[in-house]
Amino acid sequence: MTTTTVTATTAGCPFRIDASGSDIQGEATALRALGPATRILLPGDIPAWSVTEPRLIRHLLSHRDISKDARRHWPAYQTLPEDWPLRIWVDVTNALSAYGQEHHRLRRPLQKAFTTRRVRALAPRIEQITQQLLDELGTDTADEPVDLRARFTWRLPLLVVNALLGVPESMHDDFRDALGNLFATNLTSEEAAAAPVRAYGLIGQLITYKSHHPGDDVTSSLIAAHSDGQISPQELADSLMLLIGAGHETTVSLLGHAVTNLLTHPEQLDLIRSGRATWEQAVEEALRHQAPIASIIMRVAVTDVTDQLSGITFAQGDAIVINYAAAGRDPVLHGDDGDQFDITRGTARDHLSFGHGAHLCLGAELARVEARIALSALFTRYPDLRLTVTPDRLQPLPSFISNGHRALPVHLGTAADNGPKPHGTRGPSPALRRVAGELLRGGSGEGIATRLCLSEHTVRGHIHSLRRLLGCPHRTARPVLTHQLLEGRHVDPPVLDSQAPSLTDAEQALLQALTTHSGTTRIADALGITVKKVRSGIGDLLGKTGAIDACHLVALGHGWGLLGTATRPASAVPTDL
């Protein structure tokens, strides 16, 4: 294959990056059109490369001669103006800006914070914080506009990070106010210099507090690492700055774009509500479609690095910016419709929004868990949620690094009624129905927790409720549930909940067959499908929020109404459902 080498001297006029971030996706499209990588000018007329092609990004992010240590490998750092607005991005000494063995040394203490055990242990706390914030939203009337960013999508990640770091409640508001300008890239030199000062001051206060009040949290672990001589005082402070900034900002923008896209693409939201897609799919597509970190600085070529496929050479000392926003809509990888939001897209998980290689974001799974819990709870609580303005009127953050909105004005609508059902009864909760559906598919407690984005403790509670509901408190729920489905019995005709999502013809046929045939074998014969598909279909129906009032499992074997609860004695309703 013949290639043509392109160097900095022959690459043409550099593309001047818009420091205000006024049109991140428009700029990304323009940069992609200039090739896999193109020369740019950062604020302050600092020359660099912007890399937009996913293949090339993966190659560079895993290349041993591409460094993130600007102090060691970027010649321009030595003459960089003291008042350069983006200076904090290259001055910090933490895992984000380290290279080689130094990177391993600084990343090692942070890895303990994001183990599977710690993330799972945080899930109940995330659920609690989410419900608390939604309860606070409930004090507003349905017709009053609400800034969902200020009240929910901004606060949730901050409170989770505070829980992870062990930040005392008395400091929560101070940290909230101090984080505002850390990611802004259109600040004056004076504003940019002032932004981290307050944050570092608060970090110093946090270190002092946790030194005297250690706990099972990340701050205490990092302080211990400092006491053992593993990290310096500056590395301790900068590591906390990394966790507070990156751990918060990424999830804020992820939630904001996910909410916006789901509200402006109601057919996509319907896929989730009808059980044909999952919140996990929505989160991954949101990450692809609108990378929360649009571009990240700064990488540097340690030696001349030539990409053989494109013929591009990054000369020793060249600064490199990775453009994740452009990569997320790459037409070669994601097709010509990459600009469209489609949660069923097969390549959604192929995004690079959390990076790649040695610098893959440690908090990626935590951000995913937060988003799935938050989105599910938000749209369950406020099914009529809507934007108060058209999407084109949402103002972007003043940053080419952070890709989000300054505000997210919405009308909440009427909160879902979680009170008593008609006839004095109360059917199983949506979460309980989903757990029942997963049990039918053969899921285990751990697998169900992962799939439904619940804590294992919550799943165990739902399984316990199922046991009580099925009259088998000391036996596993799945054999009893499966036995009842296999044996079956005639039950009352279905009565759909007026608030239920519409059902497909196949689902309607399955519901009717469940009321007129005994056993899954007879149902399969009547519908001309396999028993496996019958059981899978029942599982899907059980997981449909709002589609079934009392749930198939309480109907089968007990003679209660398939979708209604009128024939079930109110006294028989377990108090914990």
Side-chain angles (χ1 to χ4, degrees):
M1 176 179 178
T2 302
T3 60
T4 301
T5 299
V6 179
T7 65
T9 58
T10 61
C13 297
F15 187 107
R16 188 177 296 277
I17 295 298
D18 176 13
S20 71
S22 62
D23 185 10
I24 282 177
Q25 291 300 337
E27 186 171 82
T29 299
L31 288 168
R32 274 198 311 268
L34 296 175
T38 190
R39 298 296 298 192
I40 62 172
L41 286 177
L42 294 171
D45 288 342
I46 301 296
W49 288 90
S50 178
V51 186
T52 60
E53 183 188 62
R55 178 203 60 81
L56 183 53
I57 289 175
R58 292 179 188 275
H59 174 63
L60 294 178
L61 266 54
S62 57
H63 201 291
R64 65 181 182 180
D65 291 327
I66 299 297
S67 169
K68 289 206 73 179
D69 191 338
R71 296 177 303 281
R72 289 173 58 190
H73 298 121
W74 188 29
Y77 181 80
Q78 307 306 321
T79 58
L80 198 65
E82 288 295 328
D83 60 354
W84 188 46
L86 303 180
R87 183 151 193 139
I88 188 174
W89 291 90
V90 294
D91 277 351
V92 290
T93 55
N94 56 33
L96 183 68
S97 61
Y99 171 70
Q101 291 303 313
E102 281 294 283
H103 172 253
H104 293 306
R105 179 179 67 83
L106 291 171
R107 185 179 173 96
R108 193 177 302 115
L110 301 181
Q111 287 177 312
K112 300 176 183 178
F114 298 99
T115 61
T116 301
R117 180 190 67 82
R118 191 180 287 271
V119 171
R120 287 180 177 172
L122 269 177
R125 178 62 177 145
I126 296 171
E127 294 170 359
Q128 179 185 22
I129 294 171
T130 300
Q131 294 302 327
Q132 174 187 333
L133 293 177
L134 292 177
D135 289 344
E136 292 176 9
L137 280 177
T139 61
D140 296 284
T141 65
D143 295 329
E144 289 180 347
V146 172
D147 182 357
L148 197 66
R149 183 180 192 271
R151 299 285 299 279
F152 184 68
T153 66
W154 203 89
R155 293 183 64 199
L156 173 63
L158 180 60
L159 292 174
V160 171
V161 168
N162 285 346
L164 185 72
L165 297 180
V167 177
E169 188 172 349
S170 60
M171 297 181 68
H172 284 190
D173 289 344
D174 290 335
F175 269 106
R176 179 193 63 199
D177 296 338
L179 291 177
N181 284 333
L182 285 180
F183 283 77
T185 56
N186 69 335
L187 303 178
T188 65
S189 299
E190 292 77 14
E191 291 171 332
V197 170
R198 186 179 183 193
Y200 275 119
L202 289 170
I203 288 172
Q205 294 178 34
L206 175 62
I207 292 172
T208 299
Y209 176 84
K210 297 305 295 183
S211 295
H212 293 90
H213 304 86
D216 183 19
D217 54 67
V218 180
T219 303
S220 299
S221 297
L222 289 174
I223 291 173
H226 167 252
S227 299
D228 293 342
Q230 298 177 41
I231 56 177
S232 69
Q234 187 62 51
E235 289 166 347
L236 168 60
D238 285 350
S239 294
L240 288 170
M241 177 72 87
L242 169 62
L243 292 175
I244 294 170
H248 172 257
E249 189 75 11
T250 299
T251 311
V252 173
S253 295
L254 165 58
L255 287 173
H257 282 300
V259 170
T260 301
N261 271 315
L262 289 169
L263 291 180
T264 54
H265 297 82
E267 76 286 354
Q268 302 287 305
L269 185 56
D270 286 345
L271 290 176
I272 300 173
R273 285 174 165 163
S274 65
R276 290 172 289 168
T278 65
W279 289 112
E280 179 182 5
Q281 289 175 278
V283 169
E284 297 305 320
E285 176 65 355
L287 286 165
R288 179 205 69 83
H289 186 257
Q290 291 281 7
I293 299 299
S295 290
I296 191 71
I297 65 171
M298 185 76 79
R299 282 175 168 83
V300 183
V302 177
T303 63
D304 288 359
V305 175
T306 299
D307 175 53
Q308 295 299 324
L309 288 179
S310 66
I312 296 175
T313 293
F314 302 91
Q316 180 180 1
D318 276 357
I320 300 170
V321 176
I322 303 298
N323 193 318
Y324 294 122
R329 300 191 184 189
D330 180 74
V332 175
L333 178 58
H334 299 292
D336 293 336
D337 64 344
D339 286 335
Q340 301 300 312
F341 181 77
D342 179 6
I343 63 175
T344 65
R345 186 183 302 276
T347 61
R349 287 193 68 93
D350 295 334
H351 63 78
L352 290 164
S353 295
F354 289 123
H356 177 72
H359 286 273
L360 180 70
C361 178
L362 281 170
E365 187 55 30
L366 179 59
R368 287 180 166 113
V369 169
E370 282 185 63
R372 294 196 293 261
I373 290 175
L375 293 172
S376 176
L378 174 66
F379 283 100
T380 298
R381 179 76 67 94
Y382 294 105
D384 299 323
L385 185 72
R386 61 183 175 85
L387 292 173
T388 63
V389 297
T390 56
D392 59 292
R393 293 184 60 192
L394 294 174
Q395 296 296 309
L397 291 174
S399 174
F400 72 87
I401 293 176
S402 185
N403 178 22
H405 302 117
R406 301 189 193 205
L408 191 57
V410 300
H411 282 301
L412 296 174
T414 303
D417 182 10
N418 296 318
K421 302 291 183 182
H423 309 292
T425 63
R426 181 170 56 176
S429 68
L432 184 61
R433 285 194 291 267
R434 291 193 292 270
V435 170
E438 292 300 318
L439 283 170
L440 275 175
R441 296 187 181 92
S444 64
E446 181 177 345
I448 292 172
T450 300
R451 180 173 172 81
L452 300 183
C453 194
L454 300 171
S455 66
E456 289 188 54
H457 175 76
T458 300
V459 170
R460 285 195 295 270
H462 286 315
I463 292 176
H464 177 69
S465 296
L466 285 172
R467 290 172 182 164
R468 292 185 58 189
L469 195 60
L470 294 167
C472 53
H474 303 297
R475 299 165 60 190
T476 60
R478 189 188 302 111
V480 175
L481 180 58
T482 303
H483 173 75
Q484 291 177 352
L485 289 169
L486 290 174
E487 294 299 319
R489 63 165 53 191
H490 179 80
V491 293
D492 294 340
V495 179
L496 284 176
D497 188 329
S498 62
Q499 300 299 317
S502 59
L503 303 180
T504 66
D505 291 342
E507 290 167 338
Q508 291 279 15
L510 179 56
L511 282 176
Q512 186 61 35
L514 281 166
T515 67
T516 57
H517 293 81
S518 175
T520 51
T521 301
R522 293 186 178 88
I523 293 173
D525 290 341
L527 298 179
I529 59 177
T530 64
V531 171
K532 183 178 180 180
K533 286 188 176 181
V534 170
R535 293 182 61 187
S536 177
I538 295 173
D540 289 338
L541 287 171
L542 285 169
K544 272 198 169 183
T545 301
I548 303 173
D549 186 28
C551 197
H552 290 86
L553 70 96
V554 299
L556 296 167
H558 293 279
W560 299 324
L562 187 62
L563 295 179
T565 58
T567 61
R568 183 183 182 191
S571 61
V573 181
T575 59
D576 60 340
L577 290 182

